[in-house]
Each structure stands twice: as structure tokens, then as C-alpha cells.
Amino acid sequence: MGKGDDWEAMLAVALEEAKAGLAEGGIPIGAALFDAKGKCLGRGHNRRVQDDDPSMHAETAAFKNAGRQKTYRDKIMVTTLAPCWYCSGLIKQFQIGTVVVGEARTFQGGVEWLRQQEVRIVEMDSTECAELLGKFIAENPKLWHEDIGEL
């Protein structure tokens, strides 16, 4: 893995999840966990609103849906938005080797810290990801600030 086309295809899976979350009335952030060959192991979206569960971020949903893995060092977490500190901790705890970030314009999260932890970060700077979340934030500022812990 590693070619731009591969990252785009992986990000498309996370974007599908983000759109599914929005359609359910939730926050449009999606993620997927892939193996080193590009096989999707698990995917999910932010379900904090739908499940009334503050821990169900997109990355944690994808991680949970991937099931138990022997190692995560060769895994690739793809997310439509830079991971928050909570999800960055999950990435560090399980030593996920690569994180593909759809966009970090809206929210930087723990991207720089993950780099310092020697996690490979691939920033896609996706206009589609930024516009999807930007529109949601404009329409739901209180819910967004609750999601990122700034209410």
C-alpha cells in the first residue's frame, strides 16, 4: 500500500461512513481500519448522538468492528477528520502504524503528537471531507462543540 490511488480508495470507504452517520442524524465523521494489503477489516462512523454513547467516535467504531487482531503495527486507520486526543490515544495504545487523515483544516486533534510518536500520517486535505463537516458545524455548532469537548 502507499500509492495515492490506494489512499483515495480507502478514504472513500470512510467518507461513505461519514455520510451514513449524517443520514442517521449524527456527526458526519467516518473511519475504517485496513490491513497492509488494503483489505478493510472494519468500518464505522461517529455514533455519539445515535447511541447516546460519548465513546463511540468513528475511529473507535471502526476499531471495534475490525475485531481482535494479533498486531496493529501494520494496520492503517483511515478517518475523514484528524483524530481527537481520545482516538489518538487508541492509535498509540495499539500501535497502529499509519493514519490517513481526510482533512485536518477543521480540527487538528492529535496529528502532531502522533507524528512525534512515530506514527506515519498521510494528510489527504480532502475538500469533500472538509465541506461535509463544515456544513454540519455551521448548522449544528453546539453539537460539534460537545463532540470535541469544547462546550
Side-chain angles (χ1 to χ4, degrees):
M1 296 309 309
K3 296 185 286 187
D5 293 342
D6 300 324
W7 303 135
E8 290 288 340
M10 291 177 176
L11 183 57
V13 174
L15 259 166
E16 286 177 13
E17 287 293 328
K19 291 173 184 175
L22 182 62
E24 295 170 357
I27 298 165
I29 302 170
L33 188 67
F34 293 85
D35 70 13
K37 294 180 181 178
K39 177 185 175 193
C40 184
L41 302 171
R43 54 192 286 170
H45 51 272
N46 185 305
R47 295 194 51 86
R48 293 181 68 254
V49 173
Q50 301 92 310
D51 296 350
D52 196 28
D53 181 350
S55 70
M56 198 43 59
H57 290 206
E59 296 88 343
T60 56
F63 182 79
K64 180 181 177 183
N65 291 334
R68 189 170 153 207
Q69 305 293 315
K70 289 183 181 181
T71 182
Y72 294 90
R73 294 176 200 267
D74 62 342
K75 304 305 182 275
I76 304 160
M77 177 66 78
V78 182
T79 180
T80 58
L81 181 67
C84 68
W85 288 106
Y86 168 62
C87 295
S88 294
L90 173 105
I91 291 162
K92 174 62 177 165
Q93 172 69 32
F94 290 94
Q95 301 178 24
I96 295 171
T98 301
V99 177
V100 176
V101 177
E103 68 103 350
R105 297 180 225 169
T106 306
F107 181 75
Q108 287 287 312
V111 169
E112 288 307 316
W113 179 77
L114 286 170
R115 278 193 180 101
Q116 293 169 5
Q117 304 304 309
E118 299 184 9
V119 175
R120 179 182 182 198
I121 303 293
V122 178
E123 289 194 58
M124 300 296 291
D125 196 28
S126 164
T127 299
E128 185 176 6
C129 289
E131 287 176 353
L132 180 67
L133 187 56
K135 183 176 187 295
F136 176 84
I137 292 169
E139 295 171 358
N140 303 278
K142 287 183 180 178
L143 188 54
W144 167 248
H145 285 92
E146 174 192 324
D147 191 62
I148 62 172
E150 293 183 0
L151 192 59

